[in-house]
């Protein structure tokens, strides 16, 4: 009987060590997940600079305005020619607009995910053995800085604003 009591006492100490080890493992996994989100945000920012923003900036910039004088009205032939040119350009630009839409959707989902992750890291965690929320004890300790995650969110929001302009 005394052997069983000694095992229980030793088992209790082992559970505390296992709990600390599992908390460290959870922190490592959380940091890895957050850094993966930051990497994806960086990749999306580079993709925007290389592939999304340049076509948006150049669309219609070379359209000749010489056919339209603010003081004179366009005749039917000139209006038809100008309208058909605009429709042709818009038709060619539709795939770029679809790609831009898909890109912004991906960026918005990533930003939402990152904000939810920050909220999840800041929420106090519950003690799994007692289901009691420990005040002040969040998933990540006070030594873990979330500034890079916030900066990644800021970069993505800047890209979304640039696309909207």
């Amino acid at each position: 009987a005394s052997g069983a009591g000694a095992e229980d006492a030793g088992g209790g100490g082992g559970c505390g060590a296992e709990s600390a080890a599992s908390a460290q493992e959870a922190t490592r996994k959380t940091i890895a997940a957050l850094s993966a989100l930051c990497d994806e945000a960086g990749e999306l920012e580079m993709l925007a600079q290389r592939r999304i923003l340049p076509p948006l900036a150049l669309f219609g910039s070379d359209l000749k305005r010489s056919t339209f004088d603010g003081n004179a009205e366009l005749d039917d032939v000139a209006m038809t020619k100008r309208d058909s040119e605009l429709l042709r350009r818009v038709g060619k630009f539709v795939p770029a607009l679809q790609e831009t839409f898909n890109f912004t959707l991906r960026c918005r989902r990533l930003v939402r995910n990152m904000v939810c992750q920050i909220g999840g890291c800041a929420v106090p965690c519950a003690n799994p053995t007692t289901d009691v929320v420990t005040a002040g004890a969040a998933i990540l300790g006070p030594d873990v800085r979330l500034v890079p995650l916030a900066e990644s969110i800021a970069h993505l929001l800047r890209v979304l604003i640039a696309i909207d302009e």
Side-chain angles (χ1 to χ4, degrees), residues 48-49 53 56-57 155-165:
Q49 297 299 328
L53 292 174
L56 292 175
H155 292 295
L156 279 179
L157 291 175
R158 182 176 31 199
V159 166
L160 289 171
I161 290 169
I163 289 171
D164 281 344
E165 290 178 343

Side-chain angles (χ1 to χ4, degrees), residues 121-144:
C121 292
V123 172
C125 61
N127 185 344
T129 58
T130 62
D131 290 330
V132 174
V133 174
T134 308
I139 293 173
L140 296 177
D143 296 334
V144 177

Side-chain angles (χ1 to χ4, degrees), residues 136-151:
I139 293 173
L140 296 177
D143 296 334
V144 177
R145 304 288 183 235
L146 296 177
V147 172
L149 187 64
E151 289 174 348

Side-chain angles (χ1 to χ4, degrees), residues 5-129:
E7 288 175 9
D8 288 344
C15 288
E18 288 176 12
S19 176
S22 67
Q24 288 176 348
E25 183 65 24
T27 300
R28 277 194 290 269
K29 287 180 180 180
T30 303
I31 291 172
L34 295 177
S35 64
L37 292 174
C38 291
D39 288 344
E40 185 178 356
E43 290 173 13
L44 287 176
E45 185 179 13
M46 286 191 307
L47 180 66
Q49 297 299 328
R50 292 184 183 159
R51 190 169 174 169
I52 302 295
L53 292 174
L56 292 175
L58 295 177
F59 178 71
S61 64
D62 63 337
L63 189 61
K64 295 180 183 177
R65 295 184 183 254
S66 62
T67 59
F68 179 69
D69 183 9
N71 297 329
E73 291 186 27
L74 291 174
D75 62 348
D76 288 340
V77 175
M79 281 184 74
T80 304
K81 184 178 177 184
R82 186 167 191 270
D83 288 347
S84 64
E85 176 66 15
L86 285 172
L87 288 173
R88 185 184 65 78
R89 285 177 179 239
V90 168
K92 285 185 174 182
F93 198 63
V94 167
L97 291 175
Q98 182 65 48
E99 183 179 10
T100 302
F101 173 77
N102 292 338
F103 177 80
T104 58
L105 186 63
R106 183 175 172 194
C107 286
R108 289 187 317 214
R109 287 179 177 165
L110 181 60
V111 167
R112 183 177 54 219
N113 186 0
M114 294 169 102
V115 169
C116 289
Q117 294 297 329
I118 289 175
C121 292
V123 172
C125 61
N127 185 344
T129 58

